[in-house]
Amino acid sequence: MKVLIVDDEPLARARLQRLLAQQAGYQCVGEAGNAAQAMQLIHSLQPDLLLLDIAMPGADGISLATDILALATPPAVIFVTAHPQHALDAYQAGPADYILKPVSPERLAQALQRLGTQTRAHLERKSAEPKLSYIQAGIKRQIELKDVLYFSAEDKYVRMVFSKGEAIIEQSLVQLQQLYPDNLLRIHRSTMINKAHFQRLISANGKHWVVLAGRGDKLEVSRREVANIRSNMS
């Protein structure tokens, strides 16, 4: 489950990151220091869950949680705050839980267990085929992720290759891997493939390549990724 941490205190964000790392099945995909930045990351990263502070500069966490409810697929919210007096107002925004600082590992685990593994955003994203946007000939277009063969980082841009051509996209390989960890597999520091199109791994003279279904070309594999490919695609 993808988690966005929202808190104006860097030390508080760092502590939540450490605690979250102890919980299997949860990945921190980003951090925000205020509500405006958080809303931008919600749109770009599509997290399943927010660990959300209440008292922040500008719009507070309760206002952000209320705004989130208007989204088509709102992430779940767990408030993490040092102010127990906000609890009544906070629950009007429909959070999954309300945790008081300092957060203990046990209390965070309890909140995550109560939330479960299937938030509304998680379920709806699972049922819908992910799509990527790109600009071609000055026109904004979309392609379903299942139709993309692989991504290649070249200089300062990422090239997306699909069956009928290729295009330049804005996301980095790291961002793509965070967004679609179940679909994509890194085979090289500059190359990531769509698992759905993997055909075979071939090796010769100490070198390795991946062959994708329906394509004759071979994609170079770095030695450090060979074991990971074999475990993922066996």
Side-chain angles (χ1 to χ4, degrees):
M1 187 178 292
K2 298 187 295 184
V3 182
L4 176 65
I5 296 174
V6 185
D7 196 304
D8 63 313
E9 300 178 6
L11 290 178
R13 297 198 301 269
R15 175 170 173 75
L16 282 175
Q17 275 223 47
R18 291 194 299 271
L19 294 176
L20 192 65
Q22 301 172 21
Q23 303 295 323
Y26 295 88
Q27 176 192 19
C28 177
V29 295
E31 298 180 21
N34 56 60
Q37 184 183 14
M39 188 59 84
Q40 291 179 343
L41 292 178
I42 288 168
H43 287 297
S44 62
L45 299 177
Q46 301 180 36
D48 301 300
L49 169 66
L50 263 64
L51 296 179
L52 177 59
D53 188 22
I54 290 181
M56 298 184 293
D60 64 16
I62 297 175
S63 298
L64 174 61
T66 303
D67 291 342
I68 286 172
L69 293 175
L71 299 177
T73 54
V77 170
I78 294 177
F79 282 117
V80 183
T81 178
H83 305 286
Q85 68 270 25
H86 293 313
L88 184 60
D89 291 336
Y91 273 102
Q92 301 301 312
D97 210 333
Y98 188 100
I99 304 177
L100 290 177
K101 297 177 181 178
V103 181
S104 69
E106 296 78 15
R107 183 65 182 91
L108 179 60
Q110 181 187 48
L112 295 175
Q113 185 177 17
R114 181 178 300 174
L115 172 69
T117 59
Q118 303 293 315
T119 66
R120 179 182 169 193
H122 186 78
L123 286 169
E124 293 195 17
R125 195 172 308 122
K126 285 287 187 180
S127 64
E129 180 63 39
K131 294 182 179 180
L132 293 166
S133 298
Y134 63 97
I135 304 294
Q136 192 172 65
I139 300 173
K140 186 174 183 180
R141 306 174 188 272
Q142 283 191 328
I143 185 172
E144 292 187 345
L145 181 61
K146 66 181 179 63
D147 295 326
V148 178
L149 299 170
Y150 66 93
F151 300 90
S152 176
E154 302 176 4
D155 296 327
K156 295 182 179 180
Y157 62 86
V158 170
R159 183 167 58 98
M160 175 176 67
V161 179
F162 42 97
S163 57
K164 296 182 179 180
E166 58 185 63
I168 303 302
I169 60 173
E170 296 180 353
Q171 295 97 327
S172 67
L173 292 185
V174 171
Q175 289 173 324
L176 289 166
Q177 196 165 30
Q178 290 175 340
L179 287 170
Y180 311 111
D182 296 332
N183 306 87
L184 304 180
L185 179 65
R186 178 87 69 153
I187 66 167
H188 191 277
R189 62 180 177 83
S190 62
T191 312
M192 196 155 52
I193 65 168
N194 188 335
K195 293 180 184 179
H197 297 283
F198 175 86
Q199 187 173 66
R200 66 184 186 276
L201 174 69
I202 57 177
S203 303
N205 302 319
K207 295 186 177 182
H208 310 273
W209 299 268
V210 157
V211 177
L212 300 180
R215 292 186 68 89
D217 51 329
K218 300 183 295 185
L219 301 177
E220 183 181 358
V221 175
S222 62
R223 291 184 180 181
R224 62 183 297 179
E225 300 294 351
V226 172
N228 186 40
I229 294 170
R230 285 174 174 159
S231 64
N232 269 272
M233 307 309 297
S234 60

